[in-house]
DNA sequence: CGACCATTTGATATGGATCAAGCGATGTGG
DNA sequence: CCACATCGCTTGATCCATATCAAATGGTCG
């Protein structure tokens, strides 16, 4: 698990756009956890931790993108979330990770000992509240995800693009670090449906797709309307 | 699509007998919150709170069943969770409720001032941790819900029955307090599909349906197998 | 008994999955 | 530096699970 680069390491030009830190938690908190962790590199597709493994660490993305996921016994994979630079993931209250985590691109990730964080929380109410707030933010995301999964393919894809746009620096343009398969497994669709839906949105002039990993939001109102 | 809820009265959790919180940190969290709340009755289909309303209270089901839900702008309803006796719901870290809540059956519900709980948490690490743990449990539930929503109709219904069985007293028999519409809106299916799937499971001898609200689990292994 | 729901069952439609092929970029080995 | 294998993505044809539309059944309460 934490054995660093277990990757089969395809040499990938790791060009990561720098993203702003989302307001998940206070500055004071983030600067305090910076001190408690060690930055660590992960190669593309490297496993960061596995489902059911002891949750000894909490992670913060410094750059790159991470996916968390579960695989059903017949092989279907569900991606729980994508984590971009600034996002914290892998925080558990129980003793085990409930998802697996992998680097989507080459990443630099801050690795923090959970016990240190928890210890700090017992002494500092602010930290305790921040931990709670992070779990609550995760909950909010999961609930939004549920709402996404009951929608039509168009609505799911539109919702996904709007979500990614909100998290990116450049608001009108989204640089997707993940493959169509990742998107499909996040949205509960197939790659074919994701691809067709993007084509459809492009034909309807809601978006432009200059390259497969780059999406320009041309008509946000149309996307928002689809977002139901 | 939506069953026309005759939302009856809107019982306002008006004024509570707020006793000054004891300076002594209580070990048993639940017994401490019992003291902070007032039991309150809600009629069938009564609204307990609405989405986006100020989250002034936290709720604990004493008896009866509650559903939380959101409605999309085109009328589709998604049920977030069912809460049975003993369950706590409506706890938010933000200032507003993210779902609406309604009584499914006549209920007795303990209503606790959130500010009192939060205040207690700043003075008592145990309480703070309990609040965090509750949010984490909610998160776990939401993540399980996501995994349910990517499955086939059979798998969803089987999963739902197993979940309800686990939460009920009598393990092999489930007494469903909610309608087919509620189940459908929880599982992201239609009532027709829920009904047909139950019939199918009955024909396959996995369950028996002596009455529409009562389900006997005849072959838990078969259901678990479906649960993927 | 009759009205009203909730639920089941039946017939048909359809959105997205599946199966299959083509295409463009990227890296590789000759 | 080019020919080619590979990979990620798109597009096309068909299928199928579930939705939709419609009607029958059954249970509850006046």
């Amino acid at each position: 698990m934490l054995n660093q680069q277990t990757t089969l390491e395809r040499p990938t030009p790791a060009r990561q756009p720098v993203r702003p830190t989302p307001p998940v938690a206070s500055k004071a908190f983030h600067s305090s956890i910076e001190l408690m962790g060690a930055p660590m590199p992960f190669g593309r597709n490297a496993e960061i931790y596995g489902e059911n493994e002891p949750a000894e660490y909490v992670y913060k993305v410094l750059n790159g993108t991470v996916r968390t996921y579960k695989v059903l016994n017949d092989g279907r994979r569900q991606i729980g979330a994508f984590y971009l630079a600034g996002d914290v993931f892998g925080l558990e209250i129980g003793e085990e990770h409930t998802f697996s985590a992998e680097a989507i691109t080459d990443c630099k990730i801050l690795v923090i000992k959970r016990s240190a964080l928890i210890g700090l929380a017992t002494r500092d109410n602010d930290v305790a509240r921040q931990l709670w707030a992070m779990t609550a933010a995760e909950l909010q995301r999961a609930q939004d995800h549920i709402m996404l999964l009951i929608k039509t393919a168009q609505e799911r894809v539109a919702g996904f693009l709007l979500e990614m746009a909100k998290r990116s620096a450049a608001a009108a343009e989204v640089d997707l670090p993940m493959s169509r398969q990742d998107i499909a497994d996040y949205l509960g669709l197939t790659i074919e449906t994701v691809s067709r839906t993007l084509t459809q949105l492009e034909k309807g002039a809601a978006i432009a797709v200059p390259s497969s990993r780059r999406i320009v939001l041309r008509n946000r109102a149309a996307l928002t309307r689809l977002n139901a």
Side-chain angles (χ1 to χ4, degrees), chain A residues 132-208:
Chain A
W132 181 24
M134 280 179 188
T135 299
E138 258 327 90
L139 172 59
Q140 179 66 54
R141 270 194 351 70
Q143 287 170 340
D144 291 347
H145 201 164
I146 287 172
M147 295 311 289
L148 207 62
L149 290 177
I150 64 164
K151 297 182 182 178
T152 65
Q154 275 215 354
E155 291 166 342
R156 293 187 212 196
V157 171
F160 170 72
L161 292 176
L162 287 170
E163 183 200 331
M164 289 304 293
K166 195 159 55 182
R167 297 169 71 185
S168 310
E173 201 158 333
V174 189
D175 213 331
L176 299 173
M178 71 289 287
S179 69
R180 294 287 186 271
Q181 187 64 63
D182 286 335
I183 298 172
D185 290 349
Y186 178 73
L187 297 178
L189 299 170
T190 59
I191 45 174
E192 292 97 329
T193 298
V194 170
S195 181
R196 276 187 248 271
T197 304
L198 287 170
T199 306
Q200 223 175 301
L201 290 175
E202 191 175 23
K203 280 183 179 148
I207 63 172

Side-chain angles (χ1 to χ4, degrees), chain A residues 10 19 30 80 111 114 154 157 176 192 194 201 209 214:
Chain A
R10 270 179 214 103
R19 295 169 202 284
H30 274 276
V111 180
R114 189 175 75 116
Q154 275 215 354
V157 171
L176 299 173
E192 292 97 329
V194 170
L201 290 175
V209 190
R214 173 170 296 267

Side-chain angles (χ1 to χ4, degrees), chain A residues 47-143:
Chain A
E47 175 172 304
I48 300 169
Y49 55 78
E51 195 181 339
N52 299 326
E53 285 182 5
E56 206 181 337
Y57 298 97
V58 178
Y59 303 83
K60 179 175 175 176
V61 181
L62 299 177
N63 62 55
T65 307
V66 169
R67 64 179 164 248
T68 55
Y69 66 94
K70 287 191 194 216
V71 179
L72 297 182
N73 54 19
D74 67 347
R76 278 171 293 177
R77 181 181 70 158
Q78 176 63 34
I79 289 187
F82 297 113
Y83 296 94
L84 313 182
D87 294 341
V88 173
F89 67 97
L91 171 62
E92 311 281 348
I93 196 170
E95 292 307 311
E96 292 184 356
H97 286 296
T98 58
F99 280 76
S100 302
E102 285 175 354
I104 288 180
T105 62
D106 289 348
C107 287
K108 200 144 289 170
I109 293 179
L110 191 65
V111 180
I112 306 127
K113 258 210 136 53
R114 189 175 75 116
S115 58
L117 258 190
I118 303 248
L120 189 52
T122 62
R123 275 169 278 124
D124 184 336
N125 278 332
D126 269 1
V127 172
R129 183 169 178 99
Q130 290 298 344
L131 294 184
W132 181 24
M134 280 179 188
T135 299
E138 258 327 90
L139 172 59
Q140 179 66 54
R141 270 194 351 70
Q143 287 170 340

